[in-house]
Amino acid sequence: MGAGTVARDRVRKDLSEISNKTNIPATRPVVSSSPEIRSSSRKRNQRRSKKAVISPVQKLFETCKKVFANAKSGAVPSQEHINMLRAVLDEIKPEDVDVSSKMPYFRSKLIGRPPVTYLHIYKCHSFSMGIFCLPPTGVIPLHNHPEMTVFSKLLFGTMHIKSYDWVADSPQPSSDTRLAKVKVDSDFTAPCDTSILYPADGGNMHCFTAKTACAVLDVLGPPYSDPAGRHCTYYFDHPFSSFSVDGVEVREEEKEEYEWLKEREEEPEDLTVTAMMYSGPIIKE
C-alpha cells in the first residue's frame, strides 16, 4: 500500500485545503532537607519524567528520519535499520494513532464499493507516513511501489493481501503486460507482524481487500513522486494461461504461481479515496 493508491490529484487538493517554547526560570539549589521540600522536589521530578516520554508516533517519526536519512529511488535501508523500524511499528497500537473501528470511516456501504479514507500524518522528500481506513469489502486495487521500500502495519481487522514480484527478463506479450510471480495470497488478522516490500522483492505490486473494517499504517521511503519518476501504476491481473508467449515455460503444477499483469491506462473508476488529516498525537519536527 502506499499514498500512491490515493487518487493523487484529488488527495493533494484535499490535503492542501485541510490545512512557544516556554522558558523556565532557573531555581536556586535547595539546601533544606525538610520532608515538605523533598516531597515537592520528587513531584517536580516525576512531572519532568512524564514530559520526557515521547509518544509512539513521535518515536516512529524519529526512527523514520534515521532509517530514510539518505533515501533515494531504489535505495534499500540497511538490515539494521530495517529491523529498527520494523520493531517500532510492531509495537504501535490503534490507540497510539487515535484510530478505532467505531469511526465513521469504517462504516459499510450498502451499494457499490465503499470509499477508502487516507489519514495523512507526515510527508517529506525522504518518507511519508499515513493510515488507510477500509470499511468491510473495501479494496485498494492492484498497484506498484516503484523504487520504494514500504512498511505496512495492520492495526486492526482482517485483510486479504495478494502481492506479486516481476519475473526478471521474461518475454512479454505486449509492451504494457509483464509476467509476475505471486508472492502472497492470504488473509491477515491483526495483531500480526509488520510486512515489508522492496523495490524488486517482497511483493512490490499488491492488492488489499478488507474482510472486516481495517486500518493500515503505511511508511514509504522514498514516497511517490511524479517529478522523480516514482509514479503509481495500477494493473489488471490475468491467469498465466491467458497468453502464450514464446520463450516462457512454466511447469503445469506451478502455473497458478504466475500471472500476467497489464497496466491500466487510467486509475480505477470505482476507487474513491478521501484524504483527511490525522488527529492523533502531534509530531514535533
Side-chain angles (χ1 to χ4, degrees):
M1 273 171 295
T5 58
V6 180
R8 294 186 297 276
D9 294 337
R10 182 169 65 254
V11 169
R12 288 171 183 155
K13 180 175 182 298
D14 291 344
L15 289 178
S16 65
E17 292 175 351
I18 301 174
S19 306
N20 319 340
K21 189 172 183 181
T22 304
N23 294 318
I24 302 175
T27 58
R28 295 179 180 178
V30 177
V31 296
S32 172
S33 60
S34 68
E36 292 82 2
I37 293 179
R38 288 199 299 271
S39 175
S40 177
S41 178
R42 281 197 299 270
K43 289 180 180 179
R44 285 199 300 270
N45 289 335
Q46 289 173 355
R47 286 196 293 270
R48 288 171 186 156
S49 297
K50 290 179 180 178
K51 291 180 181 178
V53 175
I54 66 173
S55 69
V57 73
Q58 181 70 35
K59 184 177 181 180
L60 174 61
F61 171 73
E62 298 293 343
T63 304
C64 286
K65 286 202 299 183
K66 294 178 183 178
V67 172
F68 297 113
N70 300 309
K72 296 179 181 179
S73 291
V76 177
S78 68
Q79 190 61 51
E80 179 184 1
H81 277 164
I82 288 172
N83 293 340
M84 180 192 306
L85 182 50
R86 175 166 47 196
V88 173
L89 282 165
D90 282 344
E91 294 299 319
I92 290 185
K93 301 176 178 59
E95 55 268 28
D96 294 331
V97 287
D98 196 31
V99 293
S100 163
S101 59
K102 296 180 180 179
M103 288 178 163
Y105 314 135
F106 301 101
R107 291 175 185 164
S108 299
K109 188 177 180 181
L110 296 178
I111 301 176
R113 181 174 292 176
V116 174
T117 300
Y118 179 70
L119 305 180
H120 173 76
I121 300 177
Y122 179 83
K123 182 178 180 180
C124 64
H125 72 280
S126 297
F127 67 92
S128 66
M129 300 163 51
I131 302 169
F132 285 94
C133 305
L134 289 81
T137 72
V139 174
I140 297 179
L142 182 61
H143 63 283
N144 68 346
H145 306 82
E147 304 297 309
M148 300 156 64
T149 301
V150 180
F151 295 72
S152 297
K153 166 68 174 180
L154 183 62
L155 296 170
F156 61 77
T158 297
M159 174 178 286
H160 185 85
I161 300 176
K162 188 170 186 179
S163 66
Y164 307 79
D165 287 315
W166 296 122
V167 175
D169 303 320
S170 172
Q172 300 175 221
S174 62
S175 60
D176 61 355
T177 304
R178 294 178 61 184
L179 184 64
K181 186 173 183 179
V182 177
K183 181 73 175 182
V184 173
D185 189 7
S186 303
D187 288 348
F188 293 82
T189 300
C192 56
D193 293 339
T194 298
S195 64
I196 308 172
L197 62 84
Y198 304 95
D201 190 21
N204 188 275
M205 291 78 66
H206 63 200
C207 172
F208 289 176
T209 303
K211 298 292 187 177
T212 67
C214 295
V216 183
L217 172 58
D218 256 8
V219 174
L220 287 67
Y224 288 102
S225 170
D226 288 344
R230 296 189 297 273
H231 312 284
C232 180
T233 302
Y234 294 88
Y235 299 91
F236 294 108
D237 56 322
H238 300 282
F240 178 80
S241 58
S242 299
F243 298 93
S244 178
V245 180
D246 291 339
V248 178
E249 296 183 4
V250 175
R251 289 184 296 182
E252 187 66 34
E253 62 271 21
E254 296 180 349
K255 286 185 178 180
E256 291 187 359
E257 299 177 18
Y258 293 87
E259 295 184 11
W260 297 98
L261 304 188
K262 179 181 175 61
E263 290 184 19
R264 291 179 181 241
E265 294 183 0
E266 300 179 354
E267 294 176 345
E269 293 182 358
D270 55 355
L271 172 62
T272 301
V273 180
T274 302
M276 301 291 288
M277 291 304 296
Y278 152 84
S279 61
I282 296 173
I283 289 176
K284 297 179 181 179
E285 297 187 45

